[in-house]
Amino acid sequence: MAMCWTPLSKLSTDRDNWTIKVRVLRMWDAINTKNNEFISLDMIFIDEEGSTIHVIFRKNQARTFRPQLLEGRVYTIKNFRVESTKGEFRPVHNDIKIWFMTITTIMESNKDMNSIQKYCFEFADYDQIQNQCYNYTYLIDVVGKLVAVGNVEEPQVNGAPRKLRNLQLLLKEGKEIRLSLWGTSVWQIDEDVYKNNPGPFVLIATSTIVKSFGGKFSLSSTSATKIYLNLEIPEVAEIIDRNGKKHDPIQEIPKIHAKQFSEEDFSSNNMKTIPELKCIEWDPAKQYVNCYCVATISNIDTTMGWYYISCVLCGKKVKPQSGSFWCAKCETKTNLPIPRYRIQIEVFDSTDKTTFVIFDRDAEKILNKSAKDLAEKQTEIDIEEGIPRDLKKILGRQYIFLLRLNEFNLKDGFENYTVAKIFDAPSNEKKIPMQNLSDNKSASTNFITVDAALKFRYQSGNSSNLLPHKRFYNSIQTSGDGVLL
């Protein structure tokens, strides 16, 4: 008697005694990048209709089911649960997903190997990539010509080394985009292939996320990312045919991550205490001065908020305009602005206290979450202080701050020093208890804010009574300009 299968497109959540015939398209271990902990065994199934679905095996089920399923093989599978798809990082566009149960049965179907396609991707073009920037609901598949490859680096991420390899792809629209492979994904690129063969090389990367920095979009791998090189599918053949016999050698991407600090670096002449910061002299011939400072975070000033709404292209602040947002730098409207960090922190060392301002990239580095993610977590906001609880986790932490001092710091005496980069301090494991911060004289200060400066101006009726750095606050407020990245 012939067995009846249900197409994936006909599955629903109202029963769990389904029977399907599918190919295991891809499989991977879902890993928590914060602690490198195994979360689940995940797969993508595809059926004869070309429909795909995300499949999840719980941590305690992985050992049982992993040996029974191989990537690329076709199986008949019975008795599983179907649930609605929620949350972010979805590898396929499907409103439902499959969870295996203890009663789920698997039978390999060798005679049906050719009835289901071997590969299936949801390729995004450049416009779709732009629209998906910092939108992690669905993961992105891309295909492009490989034009440059970086060596494996090992930057510090959340206080621990993590492997990284950067690639550069040329998309069919003629746009180049950076792809950053993290963790074990770096080993999916075989250097012998592109170094010892003539090319061209067309690369497919699955399940990536889109970010932007410095006005440029980039892709980052996830634990679901798979890399394919010169796969025999029409999309790859089209790019190879367009390229013809011409093939430029693969370029090398230079390393972009500086070394982390050690205690020997503290003796540098460029390492300053907070009083030394305040005493650096203004030199009209220099636009800015860079220096390092080791300091501990004791407070977060939320008078001006902790993020701003930015242009997805350039990262600058945008303003509401006619139901959309206007970016002055790009001179265009944007319907998809994103939150970016601007965190004003109070810091101290053994000698004094002052205020630093951390922007998006470094704030995300030490918080391990984007401003968009935190802004959307309204249920985790500390109502009394108006900031996410996750943001308060940095209190008591000590870092090495690379500071960029400008005219407003050195000439006008404005103490909000801009942080250009953050490094983990060797002593960062010894977090200062919160109760001790309030007892430390260096941990209590009165913030001079824009609102306070304006209030003083209106009460006095004369802005000339303001100190120089307060007059600067007044000028940026009345001109309508924000503090930009």
Side-chain angles (χ1 to χ4, degrees):
M1 184 175 66
M3 184 176 294
C4 295
W5 302 288
T6 301
L8 295 179
S9 60
K10 300 298 182 181
L11 296 180
S12 63
T13 60
D14 57 358
R15 44 183 280 211
D16 56 17
N17 60 341
W18 301 101
T19 299
I20 57 175
K21 186 177 73 171
V22 293
R23 184 188 295 276
V24 179
L25 199 62
R26 296 194 290 275
M27 61 189 302
W28 66 93
D29 289 345
I31 302 296
N32 185 338
T33 57
K34 295 180 184 178
N35 54 21
N36 209 34
E37 182 180 345
F38 174 71
I39 301 172
S40 60
L41 174 63
D42 291 38
M43 300 184 188
I44 297 174
F45 287 171
I46 185 171
D47 67 6
E48 291 179 345
E49 293 183 349
S51 298
T52 56
I53 194 167
H54 182 200
V55 185
I56 303 174
F57 303 81
R58 290 186 180 86
K59 186 176 181 179
N60 62 338
Q61 298 174 319
R63 181 177 297 180
T64 300
F65 287 108
R66 190 191 298 270
Q68 301 182 50
L69 293 160
L70 296 176
E71 190 171 298
R73 299 288 182 89
V74 175
Y75 300 92
T76 298
I77 300 173
K78 298 180 181 181
N79 303 325
F80 50 85
R81 192 166 78 251
V82 179
E83 290 187 357
S84 298
T85 300
K86 299 177 182 178
E88 298 181 319
F89 305 106
R90 306 178 194 180
V92 294
H93 284 72
N94 198 328
D95 294 332
I96 56 174
K97 60 187 174 184
I98 290 175
W99 290 84
F100 272 39
M101 303 185 296
T102 55
I103 61 173
T104 301
T105 62
I106 302 168
M107 181 173 67
E108 188 168 0
S109 303
N110 292 320
K111 63 180 180 179
D112 298 313
M113 285 294 289
N114 296 323
S115 64
I116 303 176
Q117 65 192 80
K118 292 183 179 181
Y119 303 104
C120 181
F121 305 97
E122 298 180 2
F123 291 127
D125 60 26
Y126 190 74
D127 288 339
Q128 291 171 319
I129 289 173
Q130 291 185 76
N131 293 334
Q132 286 291 105
C133 188
Y134 290 105
N135 180 352
Y136 301 151
T137 303
Y138 292 101
L139 301 176
I140 293 287
D141 297 344
V142 293
V143 57
K145 179 185 175 184
L146 183 64
V147 295
V149 179
N151 292 317
V152 176
E153 303 180 48
E154 207 162 11
Q156 293 285 321
V157 179
N158 300 319
R162 193 178 178 201
K163 288 182 171 53
L164 165 68
R165 187 197 290 270
N166 286 309
L167 312 177
Q168 196 78 6
L169 301 180
L170 177 64
L171 305 180
K172 65 179 182 180
E173 296 85 4
K175 301 278 190 178
E176 287 197 11
I177 193 165
R178 176 67 54 88
L179 169 62
S180 297
L181 302 180
W182 293 94
T184 56
S185 294
V186 303
W187 308 121
Q188 294 191 49
I189 294 293
D190 188 346
E191 294 184 2
D192 290 337
V193 172
Y194 69 82
K195 287 184 177 180
N196 299 325
N197 292 282
F201 302 100
V202 178
L203 183 139
I204 294 171
T206 70
S207 302
T208 67
I209 56 176
V210 188
K211 298 184 177 183
S212 70
F213 179 71
K216 294 182 179 181
F217 295 103
S218 64
L219 303 169
S220 286
S221 68
T222 65
S223 55
T225 297
K226 294 280 186 177
I227 301 297
Y228 301 88
L229 206 58
N230 285 1
L231 196 64
E232 294 184 359
I233 62 172
E235 292 87 348
V236 172
E238 179 185 350
I239 295 175
I240 292 176
D241 290 343
R242 187 186 303 123
N243 186 80
K245 295 182 179 180
K246 179 182 177 182
H247 173 60
D248 298 323
I250 301 294
Q251 301 299 309
E252 183 175 325
I253 300 175
K255 289 189 176 182
I256 60 173
H257 289 274
K259 71 178 181 72
Q260 298 300 303
F261 276 80
S262 62
E263 294 190 11
E264 287 77 9
D265 294 302
F266 294 172
S267 61
S268 168
N269 292 330
N270 216 23
M271 191 73 71
K272 305 294 184 184
T273 63
I274 291 175
E276 289 172 339
L277 283 180
K278 299 177 180 180
C279 293
I280 296 176
E281 295 184 359
W282 165 245
D283 184 353
K286 296 181 179 179
Q287 290 185 331
Y288 54 82
V289 173
N290 288 336
C291 61
Y292 296 97
C293 180
V294 181
T296 301
I297 301 173
S298 61
N299 199 9
I300 299 171
D301 177 22
T302 59
T303 305
M304 298 180 67
W306 52 272
Y307 69 91
Y308 65 97
I309 303 300
S310 71
C311 173
V312 71
L313 292 174
C314 68
K316 301 299 183 181
K317 187 176 181 180
V318 295
K319 298 180 180 179
Q321 184 181 90
S322 304
S324 183
F325 292 87
W326 176 258
C327 176
K329 181 178 180 181
C330 297
E331 297 184 345
T332 186
K333 286 185 178 180
T334 176
N335 295 319
L336 295 169
I338 59 172
R340 293 181 191 269
Y341 288 113
R342 183 199 179 276
I343 307 174
Q344 189 162 300
I345 59 172
E346 180 181 352
V347 301
F348 68 92
D349 62 11
S350 60
T351 58
D352 204 351
K353 61 185 182 300
T354 191
T355 302
F356 294 167
V357 180
I358 310 175
F359 286 100
D360 197 61
R361 179 183 62 179
D362 287 290
E364 185 171 332
K365 171 186 173 182
I366 61 176
L367 291 166
N368 199 33
K369 287 186 180 177
S370 68
K372 175 180 177 292
D373 290 340
L374 286 193
E376 291 176 347
K377 285 191 173 183
Q378 297 299 324
T379 58
E380 297 185 16
I381 295 292
D382 189 316
I383 302 300
E384 183 178 348
E385 299 185 25
I387 61 174
R389 293 189 180 96
D390 283 342
L391 202 60
K392 299 172 71 174
K393 293 178 181 178
I394 63 175
L395 298 179
R397 292 284 181 182
Q398 186 183 75
Y399 295 98
I400 303 170
F401 297 91
L402 171 59
L403 304 171
R404 178 162 291 188
L405 283 60
N406 54 27
E407 177 180 355
F408 303 117
N409 305 126
L410 304 177
K411 183 179 180 181
D412 298 336
F414 179 47
E415 283 195 24
N416 282 24
Y417 299 105
T418 297
V419 175
K421 199 164 187 180
I422 297 177
F423 302 88
D424 283 327
S427 61
N428 210 20
E429 295 181 359
K430 301 176 182 178
K431 182 176 178 179
I432 298 176
M434 287 301 303
Q435 62 268 24
N436 293 344
L437 293 179
S438 59
D439 298 335
N440 192 307
K441 293 183 179 179
S442 296
S444 59
T445 190
N446 295 319
F447 286 105
I448 301 172
T449 65
V450 174
D451 290 344
L454 285 173
K455 183 177 180 181
F456 182 85
R457 176 195 177 199
Y458 294 141
Q459 289 176 343
S460 65
N462 184 358
S463 62
S464 63
N465 293 331
L466 299 177
L467 294 174
H469 57 284
K470 290 186 180 180
R471 287 199 295 273
F472 167 70
Y473 274 131
N474 178 57
S475 69
I476 65 171
Q477 178 72 8
T478 54
S479 67
D481 292 330
V483 181
L484 305 183
L485 183 64

